[in-house]
Amino acid sequence: MTTALNPTTIAPPFGNYSHGIKSAPASCLVVTSGQLGLAPDGSCSADVRKQAEQCFANIDAILHEAGCGRADIIRLSAFVTDRAFFTDYMAARDEWLADVAIRPASTLLIVSGFTREEFKVEIEATAITRD
């Protein structure tokens, strides 16, 4: 179980996330590398939202292999290459987390670029499992 930490003494989150997360004792910490919008066949959509959706699909696969899922995520860190991509990223994230009761802590940074020019979004996740 996790508990959202959103103190009333600070401004509320301006998005669909928690300021902090408190975890119950966990058996395992799962940390993903930054996931890019690469499909299994190595293709990468030019569309920012589709890239974000693919990043989340890749994270789903990693979490599944670790024996956990979206509800076990305690932190998301995302990176986009342009402020204009904020809306598409947020829409994909909010849809992906729609059924998660306690939203993970979340950070979004605008960066100058990634290893290949076509990459516009990168997302990493931290989750906990309770074996």
Side-chain angles (χ1 to χ4, degrees):
M1 281 288 148
T2 57
T3 304
L5 302 173
N6 291 306
T8 58
T9 56
I10 63 175
F14 69 87
N16 208 357
Y17 63 91
S18 298
H19 276 306
I21 295 290
K22 179 180 177 184
S23 168
S27 298
C28 187
L29 183 67
V30 178
V31 179
T32 72
S33 292
Q35 295 301 301
L36 297 162
L38 283 174
D41 67 0
S43 64
C44 180
S45 173
D47 181 78
V48 175
R49 177 144 184 189
K50 288 187 186 332
Q51 281 194 30
E53 290 168 350
Q54 184 62 57
C55 293
F56 286 123
N58 295 346
I59 290 169
D60 275 335
I62 296 165
L63 295 176
H64 178 75
E65 187 162 315
C68 58
R70 296 173 192 179
D72 299 308
I73 295 173
I74 58 172
R75 178 160 190 72
L76 285 173
S77 296
F79 311 88
V80 296
T81 58
D82 192 303
R83 192 174 312 277
F85 300 155
F86 172 81
T87 303
D88 286 331
Y89 163 74
M90 296 293 285
R93 186 198 69 180
D94 290 351
E95 182 179 312
W96 188 67
L97 292 172
D99 296 328
V100 175
I102 297 175
R103 301 301 165 92
S106 184
T107 298
L108 175 62
L109 298 171
I110 291 101
V111 298
S112 63
F114 300 113
T115 56
R116 290 185 0 208
E117 191 172 332
E118 68 264 34
F119 299 146
K120 298 174 181 154
V121 181
E122 184 169 338
I123 306 168
E124 55 190 37
T126 303
I128 54 172
T129 65
R130 293 162 206 85
D131 295 330

